[in-house]
């Protein structure tokens, strides 16, 4: 094959004109939804309603409806919380870290991934509130001046979580909105109906595509990416502190922060992969979200999958190497105890299944990669299940050991969280441009001046 | 048409190379009040336009540093100064444990502050009545054309000269942009009855909703601060036991561990007579007393001892502490009541 490596490969296929990029991205916003869209929305919203009903029961009758028992006080709510926060991490990784590394292929998927971050963090944030049993008192988690002069405990990992997750949500939202402003302006100038025009005008803030603005805008975007990068690493690090700062065998390990971050990126990419494959098919974005992009995502999943696999192995090694008996017992119990079924599901899905991505044929096969990504999602959910449940159910005191079994209500709330997330994703796909118009235009072929300083002589 | 004040003359270009070239020429001619409009950021434009580097980085630096200082100072005030609590035997101000929150607040303030100052201070947004909006020019540069806009307030501005200059650079379309006279007249849209009425409506609605939530809804089950609970009270009744008492009776003659019988049960007068206050009346003791009162007593007695607290009416109302009767009680009797 004769490839010119001095030339950057184009990230947008088929060399479309700027106008046609804009047309195809804004098409779903101005056309009536197909029956497929309504069917999908009906499916996700019925999941959502299941969750709402189960939550209603939980609040009415109390949290005794859940499987949480005495040693396993964390159960499903915390598993789901960690799972959903992790899902969000891929969005920030794509939009911020890949931006800093100047990876142009991110332009087609960044906006969608950022949206998923916001929805995943919203879904995740529900679970600690559900878990406290009285979600309307969640305001007490924040430091507020009160007549008793009492303040929250700033040295507690649980409070770090409150700050990390809320900062993460706000910063992701700001990042997302800043990216949307030029697109709102473009949509404003395309709008035909008065209502649309009003809404887009409102959100575009009067953006004029001015180069004097673009200069500062690009600088701020860079700064945001620079801040979001350590932020995203800090969020799952702090989530892992919830476990690692405790003294429970199986939790009290220094490998947790990097291991959790790698796992978060791994599961997040799998979720973005799953959603994008559907979106590019439904909205005909095959030329913007290209097969090359998906292949690159598969490579990242292979890398992070192996990082996670390394962490699983290293946990066992350190347990043996530490010479600490409770630690050794906790890990033997994990792999061969009452929860060995969950442990081996986790290993199969997270470590074995991504190994298929060594083969180029499989990396470029949409159906197989979709299935692998589903496996990864399942596996990563089970990873959190294994960590939370196996350590808690058998701690230092054998007399207090107990087996944890989720109830139907638990499962209903989990399904509801998926319904909530995907309903928001579907609404997002229909109301806002899921691909950044300005960014895709700027990285299309021939959209930037040639390297001769722009003077208008021949190329 | 001609009596409207002119804002600018604009020209449209087709290719990114052309617009870079045009920007260089416009800057070379000495124009200062001009702008280049492109649907996306074009590389090398700030160099072609001879723009100074963006100063947004300094904003982020200052805001981020102030976030860090603010967070650390706040946590020091609350955990080490105002209400020091021993947690796990650690120092009151244990820096490593405060780093995560310091970091988060730094990021939060730096990002939000930078974006807000860029949008609302630098760009003076929202600005939807700018003369460029809704022009043919804006609609084109919003999509796939590149435009030059030379404003009338520039000192080299001359309508015909600018037009021919833009055409000589290769502009495909040249347009004159005018101010909207109505927009110029109505500066303060915030004062129009429609908008101020809307503001008043929002204010009334939010105040009413907050009042209702905090003072009515939060006192209704199941939000009622755990007032109604499905449990047995110590002295209550139940059908579970045969004697319908919620409590099991202790074995005859048992005494609670560590229990020292109090000598003056039901005798407030003797308590006042025989008990003495071991504390001396010093500034420091009074300050501790005030703090304890504010923490433990004020929820019912309120800060001034009038019994006008937030919880008034939810429990038996405490009497005012300012009557002659209570003021003249000896310390021992007050101790009897408190304990």
């Amino acid at each position: 094959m004769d490839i010119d490596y001095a030339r950057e490969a184009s990230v947008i296929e088929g060399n479309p004109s700027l106008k046609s990029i804009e047309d195809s991205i804004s098409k779903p916003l101005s056309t009536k939804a197909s029956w497929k869209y309504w069917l999908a929305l009906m499916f996700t919203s019925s999941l959502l309603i299941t969750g709402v009903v189960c939550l209603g029961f939980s609040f009415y009758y109390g949290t005794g409806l859940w499987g949480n028992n005495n040693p396993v006080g964390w159960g499903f709510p915390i598993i789901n919380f960690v799972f959903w926060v992790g899902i969000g991490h891929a969005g920030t990784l794509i939009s911020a870290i890949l931006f800093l590394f100047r990876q142009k292929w991110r332009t087609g998927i960044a906006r969608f991934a950022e949206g998923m971050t916001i929805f995943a963090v919203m879904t995740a944030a529900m679970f600690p509130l559900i878990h406290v049993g009285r979600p309307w008192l969640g305001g007490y988690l924040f430091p507020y001046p009160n007549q008793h002069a009492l303040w929250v405990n700033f040295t507690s990992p649980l409070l770090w979580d409150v700050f990390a997750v809320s900062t993460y949500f706000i910063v992701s939202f700001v990042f997302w909105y800043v990216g949307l402003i030029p697109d709102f302006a473009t949509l404003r100038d395309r709008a035909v109906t008065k209502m649309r025009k009003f809404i887009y005008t409102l959100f575009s803030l009067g953006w004029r595509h001015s180069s004097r603005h673009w200069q500062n805008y690009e600088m701020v975007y860079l700064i945001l990416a620079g801040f979001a990068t350590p932020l995203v690493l800090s969020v799952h690090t702090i989530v892992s502190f919830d476990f690692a700062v405790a003294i429970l065998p199986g939790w009290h390990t220094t490998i947790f922060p990097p291991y959790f971050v790698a796992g978060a990126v791994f599961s997040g990419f799998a979720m973005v992969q799953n959603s994008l494959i559907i979106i590019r098919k439904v909205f005909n974005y095959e030329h913007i979200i290209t097969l090359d992009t998906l292949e690159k995502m598969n490579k990242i999943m292979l890398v992070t999958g192996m990082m996670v696999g390394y962490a699983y192995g290293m946990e066992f090694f350190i347990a043996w190497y530490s010479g600490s008996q409770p630690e050794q017992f906790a890990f033997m119990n994990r792999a061969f105890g009452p929860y060995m079924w969950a442990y081996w599901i986790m290993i199969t899905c997270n470590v074995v299944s991504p190994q298929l991505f060594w083969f180029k044929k499989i990396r470029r096969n949409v159906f197989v990669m979709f299935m692998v990504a589903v496996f990864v999602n399942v596996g990563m959910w089970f990873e959190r299940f294994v960590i939370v449940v196996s350590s808690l159910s058998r701690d230092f005191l054998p007399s207090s050991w107990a087996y944890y079994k989720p109830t139907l209500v638990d499962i209903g709330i989990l399904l509801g969280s998926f319904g909530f997330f995907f309903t928001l994703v579907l609404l997002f796909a229909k109301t806002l441009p899921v691909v950044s118009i300005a960014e895709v235009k700027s990285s299309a072929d021939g959209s930037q001046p040639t390297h001769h300083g722009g003077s208008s002589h021949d190329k | 048409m001609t009596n409207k004040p002119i804002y600018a003359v604009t020209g449209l270009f087709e290719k990114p190379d052309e617009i870079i070239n045009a920007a260089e020429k416009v800057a070379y001619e000495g124009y200062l009040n001009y702008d280049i409009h492109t649907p996306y950021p074009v590389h090398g434009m700030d160099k072609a336009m001879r723009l100074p580097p963006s100063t947004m980085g300094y904003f982020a630096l200052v805001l981020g540093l102030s976030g860090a200082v603010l967070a650390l100072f706040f946590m020091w005030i609350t955990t080490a100064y105002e209400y020091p609590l021993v947690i796990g035997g650690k120092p009151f101000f244990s820096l490593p444990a405060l780093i995560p929150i310091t970091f988060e607040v730094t990021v939060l303030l730096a990002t939000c502050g930078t974006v807000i100052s860029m949008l609302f201070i630098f760009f003076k947004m929202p600005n939807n009545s700018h003369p460029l909006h809704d022009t043919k020019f804006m609609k084109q540069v919003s999509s796939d054309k590149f435009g030059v806009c030379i404003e009338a307030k520039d000192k080299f501005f001359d309508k015909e000269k600018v037009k021919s200059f833009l055409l000589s650079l290769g502009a495909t379309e040249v347009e004159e942009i005018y101010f909207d006279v109505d927009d110029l007249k109505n500066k303060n849209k915030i004062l129009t009855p429609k908008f101020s009425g809307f503001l008043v409506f929002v204010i009334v609605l939010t105040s009413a909703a907050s009042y209702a939530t905090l003072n009515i809804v939060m006192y209704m089950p199941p939000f009622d601060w755990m007032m109604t609970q499905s449990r047995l009270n110590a002295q209550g009744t139940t059908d579970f036991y045969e004697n319908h008492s919620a409590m099991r009776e202790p074995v005859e003659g048992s005494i609670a561990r560590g229990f020292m019988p109090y000598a003056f049960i039901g005798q407030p007068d003797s308590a006042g007579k025989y008990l003495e206050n071991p504390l001396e009346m010093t500034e420091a003791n009074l300050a501790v007393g005030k703090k304890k009162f504010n923490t433990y007593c004020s929820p019912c007695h309120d800060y001034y001892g009038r019994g006008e607290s937030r919880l008034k009416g939810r429990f038996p109302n405490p009497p005012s502490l300012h009557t002659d009767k209570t003021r003249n009680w000896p310390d021992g009797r007050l101790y009897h009541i408190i304990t």
Side-chain angles (χ1 to χ4, degrees), chain A residues 22 136 140 147 149 151 189 197 205-206 208-212 214-216 231 234 441 447-450 454, chain B residues 17 32 34-38 40 43 52 54 78 82-83 97 104 127-128 134 138 142-143 223 225 295 303:
Chain A
E22 186 185 312
W136 55 91
Y140 288 126
Q147 64 171 0
W151 296 96
D189 291 332
K197 171 120 186 150
L205 301 176
R208 297 191 295 279
H209 299 283
S210 147
S211 284
R212 288 173 194 271
W214 279 124
Q215 187 207 16
N216 285 320
L231 176 68
S234 86
K441 275 181 188 167
S447 66
Q448 293 297 348
T450 43
Chain B
D17 277 350
L32 291 175
Y34 72 98
D35 210 341
I36 309 289
H37 296 262
T38 56
Y40 52 84
H43 295 173
S54 168
T78 52
E82 203 199 20
Y83 204 134
E104 301 298 332
N127 182 359
N128 287 315
D134 288 320
M138 197 70 231
S142 206
S143 172
F223 309 107
W225 309 107
T295 306
Y303 292 109

Side-chain angles (χ1 to χ4, degrees), chain B residues 226-300:
Chain B
M226 301 169 91
M227 295 268 260
T228 44
Q229 298 178 13
S230 53
R231 62 175 169 82
L232 297 178
N233 285 326
Q235 313 295 338
T237 57
T238 173
D239 291 334
F240 189 75
Y241 295 120
E242 251 175 34
N243 63 353
H244 299 292
S245 162
M247 259 163 62
R248 298 288 73 203
E249 274 161 25
V251 179
E252 191 105 6
S254 41
I255 292 176
R257 188 180 279 199
F259 179 72
M260 278 291 281
Y262 177 61
F264 306 108
I265 296 169
Q267 306 160 354
D269 293 323
S270 350
K273 204 164 158 193
Y274 298 113
L275 283 178
E276 267 176 35
N277 187 355
L279 296 172
E280 282 176 43
M281 180 99 84
T282 61
E283 287 277 329
N285 278 341
L286 284 176
V288 173
K290 183 177 179 188
K291 194 161 186 181
K292 297 277 178 203
F293 181 87
N294 284 345
T295 306
Y296 299 113
C297 314
S298 72
C300 293

